[in-house]
Amino acid sequence: MIVLRMCRPDDVDALVMLGHKAGPGLTTLKPDPVAQGARLERVQRTIAGELPLAEQGYLFVLEDTASGKVVGVCGIEVAVGLDQAFWTYRMDTFVHASRELGLWTRMDKLHMSHGLTGYSELCTLFLDPDFRVNGNGSLLSKARFMFIGQFRERFAERICAEMRGYFDENGESPFWKALGAHFYRIDFHEADRLVALGKKSFLAELMPRYPVYIDFLPQDARDCIGKVHKETEPARRLLEVEGLRLEQHVDIFEGGPVLEARIDDLRVMRDSGLCQVEIVAEAAADAPRQLVANGELADFRVILAAANVVDGVVHLTAEQARALQVKAGDRVRVMPQNPAK
């Protein structure tokens, strides 16, 4: 069975292997054992309540229980931008008009912004390509919302998700080439590496001081704004189903979309609920697929299960209950995999 669980300190090697498979552009999943070890320690200290708000974060892994192999990872940062600025480009539209000539133009601009300061952030989503089947991607992405629903008090009023931007067939970002490269004067991957190491001061020191008119950029760079990497398209659709949307912000390196939402407007806040566990011999043939999460913090677990819910009781098989580490009578959070049509 595939189960999402809270990360453990011994997941370092698994995260490094996933980092190698993820390739460039996923800043928070570099194949660096020191960095990943430090992040796993930060998660444990977050759970223990030992860290200030600015440093708190959670990381979850997707595990194949049959082999014990970690095949995916996802995370949540509690409050971004409090320690180091969380920079994005904010998109604004300006109208220039001449009453005398009877002419007007509408121009879109990009401004450097840290307007998402204090938001919680969905981050570090990656699934091993060999396991992108049977709803595993859906489980990996949506399980984070189950954690937020279960522990709502631990997060901010609003949440965002910075999506991996578009790269061409040569592995290069047209947006970076047209804009960022002129200001930062270093290779995209070097800039990405510095950010991953927490060395972000150069962003503020070298960033554009004035708005950038989008119409002044080459067409291939303009086409990148709000566009995701081809491997990120399914992840974007999953987040949009849960209630996030592109509003005004895009990534400063690749121009990828930053999706946003009020947490209380997310689907999990209206479509999930607590149910009591009842163990059954087998799932009903017509049972709908549900996300089911236990109520533990340090050992939080979620599965995607065919399970009926009747009068506040969820029917789980013994195997499903073992995966969640729950027993008959325990309370779990349940949400349909997909919203009602």
Side-chain angles (χ1 to χ4, degrees), residues 65-269:
T65 59
S67 64
K69 181 179 180 180
V70 169
V71 301
V73 61
C74 63
I76 313 173
E77 292 297 316
V78 172
V80 298
L82 300 181
D83 184 25
Q84 297 191 63
F86 187 80
W87 291 107
T88 62
Y89 277 123
R90 189 185 77 246
M91 300 181 292
D92 287 317
T93 299
F94 289 79
V95 174
H96 301 264
S98 170
R99 183 176 181 180
E100 181 179 0
L101 297 179
L103 298 174
W104 65 276
T105 58
R106 182 187 300 272
M107 304 290 289
D108 294 324
K109 299 179 184 179
L110 298 174
H111 300 255
M112 292 299 298
S113 167
H114 48 87
L116 302 183
T117 297
Y119 279 43
S120 296
E121 183 196 14
L122 301 170
C123 59
T124 321
L125 181 77
F126 180 74
L127 178 60
D128 187 319
D130 294 338
F131 285 82
R132 294 175 185 176
V133 294
N134 302 326
N136 291 337
S138 178
L139 170 61
L140 182 63
S141 178
K142 298 187 181 192
R144 295 174 294 182
F145 296 104
M146 298 292 280
F147 186 80
I148 291 169
Q150 188 69 20
F151 302 102
R152 173 67 186 88
E153 71 283 356
R154 290 178 171 263
F155 299 98
E157 178 183 352
R158 296 184 64 87
I159 195 163
C160 65
E162 194 174 43
M163 308 299 290
R164 191 178 184 184
Y166 172 79
F167 288 78
D168 64 21
E169 62 277 5
N170 297 317
E172 297 183 351
S173 166
F175 185 82
W176 169 265
K177 184 178 179 180
L179 184 52
H182 294 286
F183 289 92
Y184 299 111
R185 297 284 180 167
I186 55 177
D187 177 75
F188 170 87
H189 300 298
E190 176 63 12
D192 194 46
R193 186 186 71 84
L194 291 172
V195 170
L197 293 174
K199 299 178 180 180
K200 301 178 181 179
S201 61
F202 75 95
L203 296 176
E205 292 164 351
L206 299 176
M207 67 178 58
R209 298 288 186 235
Y210 302 100
V212 175
Y213 281 87
I214 292 176
D215 283 352
F216 290 176
L217 298 176
Q219 186 62 51
D220 61 347
R222 297 203 298 269
D223 292 342
C224 291
I225 298 173
K227 184 177 180 179
V228 296
H229 190 281
K230 62 181 180 180
E231 294 183 0
T232 309
E233 291 171 357
R236 178 178 187 169
R237 290 193 294 269
L238 288 172
L239 293 183
E240 288 175 338
V241 166
E242 299 305 315
L244 283 85
R245 295 287 183 271
L246 172 61
E247 294 187 6
Q248 288 183 294
H249 296 269
V250 297
D251 181 80
I252 61 171
F253 284 175
E254 319 113 48
V258 181
L259 308 184
E260 307 173 43
R262 290 182 68 253
I263 285 182
D264 290 342
D265 291 337
L266 295 172
R267 182 172 75 95
V268 70
M269 304 308 293

Side-chain angles (χ1 to χ4, degrees), residues 13-48:
D13 290 344
L15 293 180
V16 170
M17 290 186 66
L18 289 175
H20 281 296
K21 291 189 175 185
L26 194 53
T27 306
T28 54
L29 189 61
K30 296 301 182 187
D32 181 338
V34 175
Q36 297 306 333
R39 188 172 188 189
L40 292 173
E41 179 184 1
R42 182 162 66 91
V43 172
Q44 297 304 310
R45 295 186 65 195
T46 297
I47 293 170

